[in-house]
Short mmCIF file of all heavy atoms in Angstrom, two decimals:
data_model
loop_
_atom_site.label_atom_id
_atom_site.label_comp_id
_atom_site.label_asym_id
_atom_site.label_seq_id
_atom_site.Cartn_x
_atom_site.Cartn_y
_atom_site.Cartn_z
N LEU A 15 212.78 45.33 -44.38
CA LEU A 15 211.45 44.80 -44.04
C LEU A 15 211.21 43.48 -44.74
O LEU A 15 210.65 42.54 -44.16
CB LEU A 15 210.37 45.80 -44.45
CG LEU A 15 210.26 47.05 -43.57
CD1 LEU A 15 209.29 48.04 -44.19
CD2 LEU A 15 209.78 46.68 -42.16
N ASP A 16 211.67 43.41 -46.02
CA ASP A 16 211.48 42.17 -46.75
C ASP A 16 212.27 41.05 -46.09
O ASP A 16 211.84 39.89 -46.11
CB ASP A 16 211.91 42.34 -48.20
CG ASP A 16 210.97 43.28 -48.95
OD1 ASP A 16 209.80 43.44 -48.47
OD2 ASP A 16 211.36 43.84 -49.99
N ASN A 17 213.48 41.37 -45.59
CA ASN A 17 214.32 40.37 -44.92
C ASN A 17 213.98 40.21 -43.43
O ASN A 17 214.72 39.52 -42.70
CB ASN A 17 215.79 40.74 -45.09
CG ASN A 17 216.23 40.71 -46.55
OD1 ASN A 17 215.75 39.86 -47.33
ND2 ASN A 17 217.12 41.60 -46.95
N GLN A 18 212.88 40.89 -42.99
CA GLN A 18 212.44 40.80 -41.60
C GLN A 18 213.48 41.31 -40.61
O GLN A 18 213.58 40.86 -39.48
CB GLN A 18 212.03 39.36 -41.24
CG GLN A 18 210.89 38.84 -42.06
CD GLN A 18 210.44 37.44 -41.66
OE1 GLN A 18 211.04 36.84 -40.74
NE2 GLN A 18 209.45 36.90 -42.33
N LYS A 19 214.31 42.28 -41.10
CA LYS A 19 215.26 42.94 -40.21
C LYS A 19 214.62 44.26 -39.79
O LYS A 19 214.88 45.32 -40.34
CB LYS A 19 216.59 43.16 -40.93
CG LYS A 19 217.30 41.87 -41.32
CD LYS A 19 218.61 42.15 -42.04
CE LYS A 19 219.33 40.85 -42.42
NZ LYS A 19 220.62 41.10 -43.11
N TYR A 20 213.76 44.17 -38.76
CA TYR A 20 212.89 45.28 -38.41
C TYR A 20 213.64 46.40 -37.70
O TYR A 20 213.29 47.57 -37.83
CB TYR A 20 211.74 44.76 -37.53
CG TYR A 20 210.93 43.68 -38.23
CD1 TYR A 20 210.83 42.40 -37.72
CD2 TYR A 20 210.27 43.98 -39.43
CE1 TYR A 20 210.10 41.42 -38.36
CE2 TYR A 20 209.53 42.99 -40.08
CZ TYR A 20 209.45 41.72 -39.52
OH TYR A 20 208.72 40.76 -40.18
N ASP A 21 214.72 46.06 -37.00
CA ASP A 21 215.51 47.11 -36.35
C ASP A 21 216.20 47.96 -37.41
O ASP A 21 216.25 49.20 -37.30
CB ASP A 21 216.55 46.48 -35.43
CG ASP A 21 215.90 45.82 -34.23
OD1 ASP A 21 214.75 46.26 -33.86
OD2 ASP A 21 216.45 44.88 -33.65
N ASP A 22 216.75 47.29 -38.44
CA ASP A 22 217.41 48.03 -39.51
C ASP A 22 216.41 48.88 -40.27
O ASP A 22 216.68 50.04 -40.62
CB ASP A 22 218.10 47.05 -40.48
CG ASP A 22 219.24 46.30 -39.81
OD1 ASP A 22 219.70 46.79 -38.74
OD2 ASP A 22 219.63 45.23 -40.31
N ALA A 23 215.20 48.27 -40.46
CA ALA A 23 214.17 49.03 -41.16
C ALA A 23 213.76 50.24 -40.34
O ALA A 23 213.53 51.34 -40.87
CB ALA A 23 212.95 48.14 -41.40
N ASN A 24 213.67 50.08 -39.05
CA ASN A 24 213.32 51.18 -38.15
C ASN A 24 214.36 52.28 -38.25
O ASN A 24 214.06 53.47 -38.35
CB ASN A 24 213.25 50.63 -36.72
CG ASN A 24 212.79 51.71 -35.73
OD1 ASN A 24 212.31 52.78 -36.12
ND2 ASN A 24 212.92 51.44 -34.47
N GLU A 25 215.65 51.87 -38.24
CA GLU A 25 216.75 52.85 -38.27
C GLU A 25 216.75 53.60 -39.60
O GLU A 25 216.93 54.81 -39.65
CB GLU A 25 218.07 52.11 -38.04
CG GLU A 25 219.28 53.02 -37.97
CD GLU A 25 220.55 52.25 -37.67
OE1 GLU A 25 220.45 51.04 -37.28
OE2 GLU A 25 221.61 52.82 -37.79
N GLN A 26 216.58 52.85 -40.73
CA GLN A 26 216.61 53.46 -42.04
C GLN A 26 215.40 54.40 -42.25
O GLN A 26 215.54 55.48 -42.84
CB GLN A 26 216.61 52.37 -43.13
CG GLN A 26 217.86 51.54 -43.15
CD GLN A 26 219.10 52.38 -43.45
OE1 GLN A 26 219.07 53.34 -44.25
NE2 GLN A 26 220.22 52.02 -42.81
N ALA A 27 214.26 54.01 -41.70
CA ALA A 27 213.07 54.84 -41.83
C ALA A 27 213.24 56.14 -41.04
O ALA A 27 212.87 57.23 -41.52
CB ALA A 27 211.84 54.09 -41.33
N LYS A 28 213.81 56.06 -39.90
CA LYS A 28 214.05 57.26 -39.11
C LYS A 28 215.07 58.16 -39.80
O LYS A 28 214.98 59.39 -39.71
CB LYS A 28 214.54 56.87 -37.71
CG LYS A 28 213.46 56.29 -36.82
CD LYS A 28 213.99 55.96 -35.44
CE LYS A 28 212.89 55.41 -34.53
NZ LYS A 28 213.41 55.08 -33.18
N LYS A 29 216.08 57.54 -40.47
CA LYS A 29 217.09 58.34 -41.19
C LYS A 29 216.39 59.13 -42.30
O LYS A 29 216.68 60.31 -42.51
CB LYS A 29 218.17 57.42 -41.74
CG LYS A 29 219.31 58.18 -42.44
CD LYS A 29 220.30 57.22 -43.08
CE LYS A 29 221.01 56.36 -42.04
NZ LYS A 29 222.07 55.52 -42.69
N ALA A 30 215.47 58.44 -42.99
CA ALA A 30 214.77 59.13 -44.08
C ALA A 30 213.88 60.25 -43.52
O ALA A 30 213.78 61.34 -44.10
CB ALA A 30 213.93 58.13 -44.85
N LEU A 31 213.25 59.99 -42.37
CA LEU A 31 212.38 61.00 -41.76
C LEU A 31 213.19 62.16 -41.22
O LEU A 31 212.67 63.29 -41.11
CB LEU A 31 211.55 60.38 -40.64
CG LEU A 31 210.44 59.43 -41.10
CD1 LEU A 31 209.81 58.74 -39.91
CD2 LEU A 31 209.37 60.22 -41.88
N ALA A 32 214.45 61.88 -40.85
CA ALA A 32 215.28 62.98 -40.37
C ALA A 32 215.52 63.98 -41.48
O ALA A 32 215.64 65.19 -41.25
CB ALA A 32 216.60 62.43 -39.82
N LEU A 33 215.59 63.46 -42.70
CA LEU A 33 215.82 64.35 -43.83
C LEU A 33 214.52 64.93 -44.35
O LEU A 33 214.48 66.08 -44.79
CB LEU A 33 216.53 63.56 -44.94
CG LEU A 33 217.93 63.01 -44.57
CD1 LEU A 33 218.46 62.14 -45.69
CD2 LEU A 33 218.92 64.17 -44.30
N ASP A 34 213.43 64.11 -44.29
CA ASP A 34 212.14 64.56 -44.80
C ASP A 34 211.05 64.11 -43.82
O ASP A 34 210.53 62.99 -43.89
CB ASP A 34 211.88 63.95 -46.18
CG ASP A 34 210.60 64.49 -46.80
OD1 ASP A 34 209.99 65.43 -46.19
OD2 ASP A 34 210.18 63.99 -47.86
N PRO A 35 210.71 64.95 -42.81
CA PRO A 35 209.78 64.52 -41.75
C PRO A 35 208.40 64.14 -42.26
O PRO A 35 207.70 63.35 -41.63
CB PRO A 35 209.71 65.74 -40.83
CG PRO A 35 210.94 66.52 -41.13
CD PRO A 35 211.26 66.30 -42.58
N ASP A 36 207.95 64.68 -43.38
CA ASP A 36 206.60 64.38 -43.88
C ASP A 36 206.61 63.30 -44.94
O ASP A 36 205.63 63.13 -45.68
CB ASP A 36 205.99 65.67 -44.45
CG ASP A 36 205.77 66.71 -43.40
OD1 ASP A 36 205.53 66.31 -42.22
OD2 ASP A 36 205.82 67.91 -43.71
N ASN A 37 207.68 62.56 -45.04
CA ASN A 37 207.79 61.53 -46.06
C ASN A 37 206.79 60.42 -45.75
O ASN A 37 206.82 59.81 -44.67
CB ASN A 37 209.21 60.98 -46.10
CG ASN A 37 209.41 60.07 -47.31
OD1 ASN A 37 208.90 58.97 -47.37
ND2 ASN A 37 210.15 60.58 -48.30
N TYR A 38 205.84 60.21 -46.65
CA TYR A 38 204.74 59.25 -46.46
C TYR A 38 205.25 57.85 -46.26
O TYR A 38 204.90 57.15 -45.29
CB TYR A 38 203.80 59.34 -47.65
CG TYR A 38 202.65 58.35 -47.60
CD1 TYR A 38 201.55 58.60 -46.82
CD2 TYR A 38 202.71 57.18 -48.36
CE1 TYR A 38 200.51 57.70 -46.78
CE2 TYR A 38 201.67 56.28 -48.32
CZ TYR A 38 200.56 56.54 -47.52
OH TYR A 38 199.51 55.65 -47.48
N HIS A 39 206.13 57.38 -47.20
CA HIS A 39 206.59 56.00 -47.17
C HIS A 39 207.48 55.75 -45.97
O HIS A 39 207.47 54.64 -45.40
CB HIS A 39 207.33 55.67 -48.47
CG HIS A 39 206.41 55.62 -49.66
ND1 HIS A 39 205.52 54.61 -49.90
CD2 HIS A 39 206.22 56.50 -50.70
CE1 HIS A 39 204.86 54.82 -51.00
NE2 HIS A 39 205.26 55.99 -51.52
N ALA A 40 208.29 56.76 -45.61
CA ALA A 40 209.14 56.57 -44.42
C ALA A 40 208.30 56.31 -43.19
O ALA A 40 208.60 55.43 -42.38
CB ALA A 40 210.02 57.80 -44.24
N ASN A 41 207.19 57.07 -43.01
CA ASN A 41 206.30 56.84 -41.85
C ASN A 41 205.63 55.49 -41.94
O ASN A 41 205.44 54.81 -40.92
CB ASN A 41 205.26 57.95 -41.79
CG ASN A 41 205.81 59.23 -41.18
OD1 ASN A 41 206.48 59.19 -40.14
ND2 ASN A 41 205.56 60.36 -41.83
N VAL A 42 205.23 55.08 -43.16
CA VAL A 42 204.60 53.76 -43.31
C VAL A 42 205.58 52.67 -42.93
O VAL A 42 205.24 51.73 -42.20
CB VAL A 42 204.08 53.58 -44.75
CG1 VAL A 42 203.64 52.14 -44.96
CG2 VAL A 42 202.93 54.54 -45.05
N PHE A 43 206.89 52.79 -43.49
CA PHE A 43 207.89 51.77 -43.16
C PHE A 43 208.19 51.76 -41.66
O PHE A 43 208.35 50.70 -41.04
CB PHE A 43 209.18 52.03 -43.95
CG PHE A 43 209.01 51.80 -45.44
CD1 PHE A 43 209.85 52.42 -46.38
CD2 PHE A 43 208.00 50.96 -45.90
CE1 PHE A 43 209.70 52.21 -47.74
CE2 PHE A 43 207.86 50.75 -47.29
CZ PHE A 43 208.69 51.37 -48.19
N LEU A 44 208.24 52.94 -41.06
CA LEU A 44 208.51 53.01 -39.62
C LEU A 44 207.37 52.38 -38.82
O LEU A 44 207.59 51.61 -37.87
CB LEU A 44 208.69 54.47 -39.20
CG LEU A 44 208.93 54.71 -37.70
CD1 LEU A 44 210.20 53.98 -37.23
CD2 LEU A 44 209.02 56.21 -37.40
N GLY A 45 206.11 52.71 -39.24
CA GLY A 45 204.97 52.12 -38.54
C GLY A 45 204.96 50.60 -38.64
O GLY A 45 204.68 49.89 -37.67
N LEU A 46 205.28 50.08 -39.82
CA LEU A 46 205.29 48.62 -40.00
C LEU A 46 206.37 47.98 -39.15
O LEU A 46 206.17 46.94 -38.52
CB LEU A 46 205.49 48.30 -41.48
CG LEU A 46 205.50 46.82 -41.86
CD1 LEU A 46 204.19 46.14 -41.41
CD2 LEU A 46 205.72 46.66 -43.35
N ALA A 47 207.60 48.61 -39.16
CA ALA A 47 208.71 48.06 -38.39
C ALA A 47 208.36 48.05 -36.89
O ALA A 47 208.62 47.07 -36.17
CB ALA A 47 209.98 48.87 -38.65
N LEU A 48 207.79 49.16 -36.42
CA LEU A 48 207.42 49.22 -35.00
C LEU A 48 206.31 48.22 -34.67
O LEU A 48 206.26 47.66 -33.56
CB LEU A 48 206.96 50.64 -34.64
CG LEU A 48 208.06 51.71 -34.66
CD1 LEU A 48 207.46 53.09 -34.47
CD2 LEU A 48 209.10 51.43 -33.56
N ASP A 49 205.39 48.04 -35.63
CA ASP A 49 204.32 47.06 -35.44
C ASP A 49 204.90 45.66 -35.26
O ASP A 49 204.50 44.91 -34.37
CB ASP A 49 203.39 47.12 -36.64
CG ASP A 49 202.23 46.12 -36.51
OD1 ASP A 49 201.99 45.61 -35.38
OD2 ASP A 49 201.54 45.84 -37.52
N LYS A 50 205.91 45.34 -36.10
CA LYS A 50 206.50 44.01 -35.99
C LYS A 50 207.26 43.83 -34.68
O LYS A 50 207.40 42.72 -34.18
CB LYS A 50 207.44 43.77 -37.17
CG LYS A 50 206.75 43.76 -38.54
CD LYS A 50 205.70 42.65 -38.63
CE LYS A 50 205.08 42.59 -40.02
NZ LYS A 50 204.08 41.49 -40.11
N LYS A 51 207.78 44.94 -34.14
CA LYS A 51 208.49 44.85 -32.87
C LYS A 51 207.54 45.04 -31.67
O LYS A 51 207.99 45.13 -30.53
CB LYS A 51 209.57 45.92 -32.83
CG LYS A 51 210.67 45.75 -33.88
CD LYS A 51 211.46 44.46 -33.66
CE LYS A 51 212.33 44.57 -32.44
NZ LYS A 51 213.20 43.37 -32.28
N ASN A 52 206.20 45.10 -31.96
CA ASN A 52 205.16 45.22 -30.91
C ASN A 52 205.18 46.55 -30.17
O ASN A 52 204.73 46.65 -29.02
CB ASN A 52 205.27 44.08 -29.90
CG ASN A 52 204.98 42.73 -30.52
OD1 ASN A 52 204.10 42.61 -31.40
ND2 ASN A 52 205.71 41.71 -30.10
N PHE A 53 205.71 47.59 -30.84
CA PHE A 53 205.60 48.94 -30.29
C PHE A 53 204.34 49.58 -30.89
O PHE A 53 204.42 50.39 -31.82
CB PHE A 53 206.85 49.76 -30.60
CG PHE A 53 208.10 49.23 -29.95
CD1 PHE A 53 209.14 48.69 -30.70
CD2 PHE A 53 208.23 49.26 -28.57
CE1 PHE A 53 210.28 48.20 -30.08
CE2 PHE A 53 209.38 48.77 -27.96
CZ PHE A 53 210.41 48.21 -28.71
N ASP A 54 203.17 49.16 -30.35
CA ASP A 54 201.90 49.49 -30.99
C ASP A 54 201.61 50.98 -30.97
O ASP A 54 201.15 51.56 -31.97
CB ASP A 54 200.76 48.74 -30.30
CG ASP A 54 200.92 47.22 -30.44
OD1 ASP A 54 201.59 46.79 -31.39
OD2 ASP A 54 200.36 46.49 -29.58
N ASP A 55 201.86 51.64 -29.86
CA ASP A 55 201.54 53.07 -29.78
C ASP A 55 202.41 53.88 -30.73
O ASP A 55 201.93 54.78 -31.45
CB ASP A 55 201.75 53.55 -28.33
CG ASP A 55 200.74 52.93 -27.38
OD1 ASP A 55 199.66 52.49 -27.85
OD2 ASP A 55 200.99 52.89 -26.15
N ASP A 56 203.71 53.56 -30.73
CA ASP A 56 204.61 54.27 -31.65
C ASP A 56 204.26 53.97 -33.09
O ASP A 56 204.35 54.85 -33.98
CB ASP A 56 206.07 53.88 -31.36
CG ASP A 56 206.52 54.34 -30.00
OD1 ASP A 56 205.89 55.32 -29.46
OD2 ASP A 56 207.43 53.75 -29.40
N SER A 57 203.87 52.74 -33.33
CA SER A 57 203.48 52.36 -34.70
C SER A 57 202.27 53.16 -35.13
O SER A 57 202.20 53.64 -36.26
CB SER A 57 203.20 50.86 -34.74
OG SER A 57 202.73 50.49 -36.01
N GLU A 58 201.27 53.28 -34.22
CA GLU A 58 200.06 54.03 -34.56
C GLU A 58 200.38 55.49 -34.85
O GLU A 58 199.84 56.11 -35.78
CB GLU A 58 199.04 53.93 -33.42
CG GLU A 58 197.72 54.60 -33.75
CD GLU A 58 196.70 54.44 -32.63
OE1 GLU A 58 197.03 53.86 -31.57
OE2 GLU A 58 195.55 54.91 -32.81
N LYS A 59 201.35 56.07 -34.10
CA LYS A 59 201.74 57.46 -34.34
C LYS A 59 202.37 57.62 -35.72
O LYS A 59 202.10 58.60 -36.45
CB LYS A 59 202.72 57.92 -33.28
CG LYS A 59 202.10 58.09 -31.89
CD LYS A 59 203.14 58.52 -30.88
CE LYS A 59 202.52 58.64 -29.49
NZ LYS A 59 203.55 59.03 -28.49
N ALA A 60 203.17 56.66 -36.06
CA ALA A 60 203.82 56.73 -37.39
C ALA A 60 202.79 56.66 -38.48
O ALA A 60 202.83 57.42 -39.47
CB ALA A 60 204.84 55.61 -37.50
N TYR A 61 201.83 55.71 -38.36
CA TYR A 61 200.78 55.58 -39.36
C TYR A 61 199.95 56.86 -39.42
O TYR A 61 199.52 57.29 -40.50
CB TYR A 61 199.89 54.39 -39.05
CG TYR A 61 200.51 53.04 -39.42
CD1 TYR A 61 200.45 51.96 -38.54
CD2 TYR A 61 201.11 52.85 -40.67
CE1 TYR A 61 200.98 50.73 -38.87
CE2 TYR A 61 201.65 51.62 -41.00
CZ TYR A 61 201.60 50.56 -40.10
OH TYR A 61 202.13 49.35 -40.43
N ARG A 62 199.65 57.45 -38.27
CA ARG A 62 198.85 58.65 -38.24
C ARG A 62 199.55 59.82 -38.96
O ARG A 62 198.93 60.62 -39.65
CB ARG A 62 198.56 59.04 -36.78
CG ARG A 62 197.57 58.15 -36.08
CD ARG A 62 196.17 58.29 -36.71
NE ARG A 62 195.22 57.39 -36.07
CZ ARG A 62 193.96 57.25 -36.49
NH1 ARG A 62 193.55 57.93 -37.55
NH2 ARG A 62 193.14 56.41 -35.87
N LEU A 63 200.91 59.87 -38.79
CA LEU A 63 201.66 60.92 -39.51
C LEU A 63 201.61 60.69 -41.01
O LEU A 63 201.50 61.63 -41.80
CB LEU A 63 203.11 60.92 -39.02
CG LEU A 63 203.32 61.44 -37.58
CD1 LEU A 63 204.77 61.24 -37.16
CD2 LEU A 63 202.92 62.91 -37.49
N ALA A 64 201.64 59.41 -41.37
CA ALA A 64 201.55 59.10 -42.81
C ALA A 64 200.19 59.48 -43.34
O ALA A 64 200.06 60.05 -44.44
CB ALA A 64 201.83 57.62 -43.02
N VAL A 65 199.12 59.15 -42.61
CA VAL A 65 197.75 59.47 -43.03
C VAL A 65 197.57 60.98 -43.13
O VAL A 65 196.91 61.51 -44.03
CB VAL A 65 196.74 58.84 -42.06
CG1 VAL A 65 195.35 59.40 -42.29
CG2 VAL A 65 196.73 57.34 -42.20
N LYS A 66 198.17 61.65 -42.22
CA LYS A 66 198.05 63.10 -42.21
C LYS A 66 198.68 63.72 -43.45
O LYS A 66 198.16 64.71 -44.00
CB LYS A 66 198.69 63.64 -40.94
CG LYS A 66 198.53 65.14 -40.79
CD LYS A 66 199.13 65.59 -39.46
CE LYS A 66 198.97 67.11 -39.29
NZ LYS A 66 199.60 67.55 -38.02
N SER A 67 199.82 63.15 -43.85
CA SER A 67 200.51 63.71 -45.01
C SER A 67 199.79 63.36 -46.31
O SER A 67 199.73 64.18 -47.23
CB SER A 67 201.96 63.23 -45.06
OG SER A 67 202.00 61.80 -45.17
N LYS A 68 199.23 62.15 -46.42
CA LYS A 68 198.52 61.74 -47.64
C LYS A 68 197.28 60.96 -47.24
O LYS A 68 197.27 59.72 -47.17
CB LYS A 68 199.41 60.86 -48.52
CG LYS A 68 200.55 61.63 -49.17
CD LYS A 68 201.33 60.75 -50.11
CE LYS A 68 202.45 61.52 -50.81
NZ LYS A 68 203.21 60.67 -51.76
N PRO A 69 196.16 61.66 -46.89
CA PRO A 69 194.97 60.97 -46.38
C PRO A 69 194.27 60.12 -47.42
O PRO A 69 193.48 59.25 -47.07
CB PRO A 69 194.07 62.12 -45.92
CG PRO A 69 194.55 63.31 -46.67
CD PRO A 69 196.01 63.13 -46.90
#
Side-chain angles (χ1 to χ4, degrees):
L15 287 172
D16 292 338
N17 296 325
Q18 298 183 359
K19 296 180 180 180
Y20 301 119
D21 291 335
D22 294 342
N24 184 12
E25 184 177 347
Q26 293 298 324
K28 287 181 179 180
K29 183 185 296 186
L31 288 172
L33 298 174
D34 185 7
D36 295 330
N37 189 289
Y38 177 80
H39 291 287
N41 281 313
V42 171
F43 292 156
L44 178 60
L46 181 57
L48 291 173
D49 180 16
K50 296 299 183 179
K51 296 296 289 186
N52 295 324
F53 296 113
D54 297 336
D55 293 338
D56 294 337
S57 175
E58 184 178 3
K59 290 179 182 179
Y61 283 135
R62 287 293 178 184
L63 290 173
V65 168
K66 184 177 180 182
S67 61
K68 290 184 178 181

